[in-house]
């Protein structure tokens, strides 16, 4: 169960997606990306989750090896979905941006299956650093969380 919980934390803590080049605030862009991410994850669409990352994205799972590039990220999320994780919720608590960079401090909940198959809800917090890109895709340049 501990391994599953660590995986769940890693899966949510390492969120990355797009900050659009449009004239929206960083908070608006990030909140829109969170909805898109939750919808893709909760529908079991790891490919759509992976498409939210740039080719050079990186995930930094706690107690795990760094996951690099879009394909690796997609495989990571596919593993979470196949493990039965579902009902992901993400909420941006704090967003600050300057120039092409922003950071988001957030909270998550996630349904994680127990050995008996019942879902347990895991809750935590995360930190994501975002980078604005003119193509409408962003890169997570560093993440951390508990």
């Amino acid at each position: 169960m501990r391994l599953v919980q660590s995986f769940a934390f890693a899966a949510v803590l390492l969120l990355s997606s797009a900050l659009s080049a449009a004239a929206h605030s960083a908070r608006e862009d990030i909140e829109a990306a969170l909805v898109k991410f939750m919808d893709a994850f909760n529908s079991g669409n790891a490919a759509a989750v992976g498409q939210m990352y740039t080719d050079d994205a990186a995930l930094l799972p706690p107690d795990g090896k760094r996951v690099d590039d879009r394909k690796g990220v997609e495989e990571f999320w596919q593993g979470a979905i196949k493990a039965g994780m579902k009902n992901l919720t993400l909420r941006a608590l704090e967003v600050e941006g300057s120039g092409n960079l922003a950071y988001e401090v957030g909270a998550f909940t996630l349904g994680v299956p127990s050995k008996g198959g019942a879902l347990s809800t895991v809750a935590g917090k995360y930190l994501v650093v975002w980078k604005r890109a003119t193509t409408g895709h962003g890169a997570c340049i560093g993440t951390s969380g508990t």
Side-chain angles (χ1 to χ4, degrees), residues 27 29 36 92-93 114:
R27 176 174 281 282
D29 286 339
K36 184 178 174 184
L93 302 174
S114 65

Side-chain angles (χ1 to χ4, degrees), residues 9-26:
F9 287 128
V12 177
L13 299 175
L14 304 167
L15 165 63
S16 168
S17 185
L19 287 179
S20 72
H24 295 285
S25 73

Side-chain angles (χ1 to χ4, degrees), residues 118-137:
L119 282 182
S120 298
T121 300
V122 176
K125 50 196 175 294
Y126 61 90
L127 170 68
V128 178
V129 177
W130 302 74
K131 181 178 179 185
R132 186 179 304 273
T134 58
T135 62
H137 287 58

Side-chain angles (χ1 to χ4, degrees), residues 2 13 21 25 31 34 39-40 51 56 61-63 73-74 76 86 94 111 123 130 133 140-141:
R2 175 143 169 74
L13 299 175
S25 73
E31 287 177 348
L34 295 180
D39 288 347
Q51 287 302 307
D56 61 349
D63 300 325
V73 168
E74 182 179 328
F76 179 88
K86 55 181 80 175
E94 180 180 348
W130 302 74
C140 177
I141 59 175

Side-chain angles (χ1 to χ4, degrees), residues 50-135:
Q51 287 302 307
M52 295 180 69
Y53 292 81
T54 59
D55 290 333
D56 61 349
L59 297 180
L60 308 171
D63 300 325
K65 293 174 72 174
R66 178 179 162 148
V67 178
D68 289 304
D69 70 53
R70 181 179 286 151
K71 182 165 178 50
V73 168
E74 182 179 328
E75 290 170 359
F76 179 88
W77 290 114
Q78 185 62 49
I81 291 166
K82 282 185 178 181
M85 295 178 199
K86 55 181 80 175
N87 304 326
L88 173 66
T89 63
L90 302 168
R91 186 168 47 105
L93 302 174
E94 180 180 348
V95 173
E96 288 291 329
S98 179
N100 288 334
L101 296 177
Y103 73 85
E104 171 205 0
V105 175
F108 73 89
T109 60
L110 180 68
V112 178
S114 65
K115 287 186 181 184
L119 282 182
S120 298
T121 300
V122 176
K125 50 196 175 294
Y126 61 90
L127 170 68
V128 178
V129 177
W130 302 74
K131 181 178 179 185
R132 186 179 304 273
T134 58
T135 62

